[in-house]
Amino acid sequence: MPGEPMGGYVDRSEGVQDVLDPLEVHVVTVADDGHRFALVVVDLICVNADVVERIRTALRDVGVPSCWVAATHTHASPEAGCAPGGGITPRDVGDRLVAVSLTATRRAVATEREARLTATRTLVSGLASRRNVVDSPPMDIPVDTIGVTVGADVVGLIVVSPVHPTILPAANNHVSADLAGGIRRALSGPDRWVVVATGAAGDISTRHTRQGHGPPEVDRLGALVADRFVPPAPVDGGPVAPVRPPVSRSVRLRPKQPAELDASARPVPQIRDGRIRQVLQQGLRIAREQAARQRSEPYEIEVAAVDLDGVTVVGVPGELFLELGEAIRSRAADRAGDVVVLGYTNGYLGYLPARDTPPCYETFASPVSAGSGEIVVETAVEAAIEAARDRDRSRRNYA
């Protein structure tokens, strides 16, 4: 709505003025006669635990007992209460989100049809790199896709990009899905819907690869992903496991300890890259604010995994570094098969960097103690393996 605060950038000074491209809410349901699961993906900077619970409650009334809610993390959206450690969703934003999610879910349930799912991975060069590394070397960014096929036709795609949707700058005051919208437009077709979510993007962005800050660059990078895209092959027979509820694990993480907060107050080396230096100073201010609050009780988050027709999807309520998302995938692969990691899902804690990450904006802004990222990885791997074990057990009983 015009004038409401925008989220995503600490140094943003203006509220919403206009619309570049409409923000969207997408719902994908997977169901059989015994259970139904819904993945809700919203174009917001984050979803806090309070609005996730509101959406779950609303969806139970329309036959959806299991629901995940994920944010694309676009930085060109209304403020949604996004703060390190989690926050409260503004009431008006929450009301709109619940209403639209309910409408989209009803439509998804009404149009369900028999289909199969399969996962593919595409490595995309020139898309993004580690954002807070000066002279960051080129990277091949792993973009995962869950394809929905009916017979030989690919009718839908769930694309997971581990890249911050931050092509549009802090000075922008027009709402937009940013990179997620660019990818959606590039991959959509008359007979194919596309949902774009964000993965382990904590340290990955287009800062060193983008050639501009406006809509043309959003569309250029979206087209780059589409150009590299390899359509999933139809599933060739095989049993379909019953739809099972997600495996959910509660994780308790220590807030930053006094020594870590003291370290955040020390001077940092001068960095010649102006934007990196500016963002680093913002992180230091956030760290000082955390020190002033002196939190002692642990943070509690939900890490979850669900089997979707042989694809194991993991949901993490924060900003995992790419290397940690890849660790979940590789360590669970032997027993969980294809693993796809979603970030910004079922809540928002903040950054979850790796234990040995050098001091940077993400480590300063993170609300939790060093090693928390590895704890989340351990829990996510356990949940993924358990979800796959339930799948295999169900297939034996279902055959």
Side-chain angles (χ1 to χ4, degrees), residues 378-391:
E378 292 284 348
T379 305
V381 170
E382 292 172 1
I385 291 172
E386 184 176 340
R389 186 184 304 125
D390 289 347
R391 168 187 72 210

Side-chain angles (χ1 to χ4, degrees), residues 216-264:
E217 183 64 5
V218 171
D219 288 336
R220 184 187 76 83
L221 291 176
L224 181 65
V225 174
D227 288 344
R228 304 293 193 278
F229 175 70
V230 177
V235 178
D236 185 17
V240 179
V243 179
R244 307 285 294 178
V247 173
S248 181
R249 297 285 182 88
S250 178
V251 183
R252 292 165 66 88
L253 301 174
R254 289 196 315 170
K256 277 182 176 170
Q257 300 302 290
E260 295 173 291
L261 293 167
D262 290 344
S264 297

